[in-house]
Every structure is written in structure tokens, then in C-alpha cells.
Amino acid sequence: MNSDSDLQIAGDILEVPHLLQAPREHPVTVAEFVGLARSLAADRGRWEHLVRYDAASRWYHRLSTGPGYEVWLLSWVPGQGSGLHDHGLSSGVLTVLDGELTERTERGKRVLGAGAQRVFAPGYVHEVVNDALEPAVSLHVYFPGLTEMPMHDRSPLGSAAGTPMACAARGTHDELDTVSA
């Protein structure tokens, strides 16, 4: 028996194959989805050439999909916004790639600069707007993939605690898929 401890490990524990987990091909945890968003944000060559700006409506492009998730690239010219909405049963990660976006919720507003990330759960109600004078670009990871985006009207006090309204997602989009993440 060892005087320092009753537990002794024989051999290299890292050589025990059943204790090691193989790296996953696709994310499954919130932390892994955040990591996916950060990885894609850092890989400008993967998305920068795809960005388009549309003064009439927000532009979006499905960048990739995987089992149970999808990744969208969005551009925002000054003054464009999402309207007050939630993401149905989907959770998500919003990452600002370029420029600055303002997120408004019933708790107030938050200005998000390039590199900022927001993680949200199903039912989270917010509005995202480009209040800046320059265009912005953002990356959105939804898990499971986005199937609805219920719009909300504002309460009489102007808070984000409105009532859902039935409506289709707004904006122009380009659904050309690229290689899956």
C-alpha cells in the first residue's frame, strides 16, 4: 500500500481504448454548437465570398446542414431587422461576423460587435436589428433545424412580451447548400 494514497494506477490510462471517446463528426451539445459557430466564423474563406447585401430585404443563405442542425449566413444593411420573433422548438447560436447588431428583448437591448455570440433556448423572444451605419453579417446555428419563426407583436408598453402572430419568415434567401460542416 502506498502511504500517500490507497489508489494506484498501473500503466498509462490513456492507452485504455474503451476510456477514450472518438471525436464526433457533428456537434451534439450546446458547447459543441458554439464551437462550430466559432470555427466557421474564423474560416472567412468559407463564407465571405457568399455574402450579398439587399437593400429591399434581409439576405440569407443556408451555409451547411448536419444531422439535427443547420447553419445560416445573414447580411443586414443599416436599418434592417428581424422583427420580434422566436425560433419555435429550435435552440440557437447567433454569432456576429462583421459589423454590429442590436438585440432587443423584454429585458432591454444589447449591442453585439464582431465576434459576439448569443446562445438561446426554444421560445426565446428577441428582435435583431442593424442600428449601425455600416452593413453587418451574422452566422446562425439552429438545433434542431429551424422549422418555424413565429413573429410576435409588441405589448402596449413596447416590451418584447408580445403575442405570437402567424407569418412566414421574411427576407430573400439563397438556399444553395455548400459542403456540410
Side-chain angles (χ1 to χ4, degrees):
M1 184 178 331
N2 185 341
S3 62
D4 293 334
S5 170
D6 289 339
L7 175 66
Q8 293 184 359
I9 298 174
D12 184 353
I13 196 164
L14 296 178
E15 290 185 17
V16 183
H18 71 278
L19 295 177
L20 300 177
Q21 291 184 2
R24 289 192 260 262
E25 184 179 349
H26 296 283
V28 295
T29 67
V30 172
E32 290 171 344
F33 284 111
V34 169
L36 171 64
R38 285 185 183 152
S39 171
L40 290 169
D43 187 2
R44 293 185 77 87
R46 173 111 185 250
W47 56 266
E48 193 169 37
H49 67 282
L50 300 170
V51 176
R52 305 288 180 266
Y53 297 97
D54 186 335
S57 63
R58 283 184 305 132
W59 171 91
Y60 48 98
H61 170 84
R62 189 167 53 198
L63 187 62
S64 67
T65 61
Y69 72 93
E70 59 187 12
V71 180
W72 290 87
L73 184 64
L74 283 76
S75 70
W76 313 73
V77 298
Q80 285 181 338
S82 65
L84 192 61
H85 68 281
D86 69 62
H87 302 93
L89 299 176
S90 298
S91 295
V93 180
L94 158 66
T95 305
V96 179
L97 302 176
D98 281 329
E100 187 176 277
L101 294 171
T102 301
E103 180 189 40
R104 295 185 182 116
T105 69
E106 66 182 356
R107 300 176 115 188
K109 72 177 187 173
R110 178 183 309 236
V111 176
L112 307 170
Q117 289 188 297
R118 297 285 287 151
V119 176
F120 52 87
Y124 178 71
V125 178
H126 69 158
E127 177 179 29
V128 180
V129 179
N130 182 351
D131 285 333
L133 298 175
E134 299 293 326
V137 179
S138 58
L139 183 84
H140 303 248
V141 180
Y142 298 110
F143 47 99
L146 193 62
T147 59
E148 62 178 329
M149 194 175 103
M151 302 303 291
H152 294 253
D153 61 359
R154 294 193 179 277
S155 72
L157 298 177
S159 75
T163 306
M165 299 185 306
C167 97
R170 299 176 186 164
T172 60
H173 67 285
D174 175 356
E175 291 196 46
L176 173 67
D177 287 326
T178 57
V179 178
S180 293

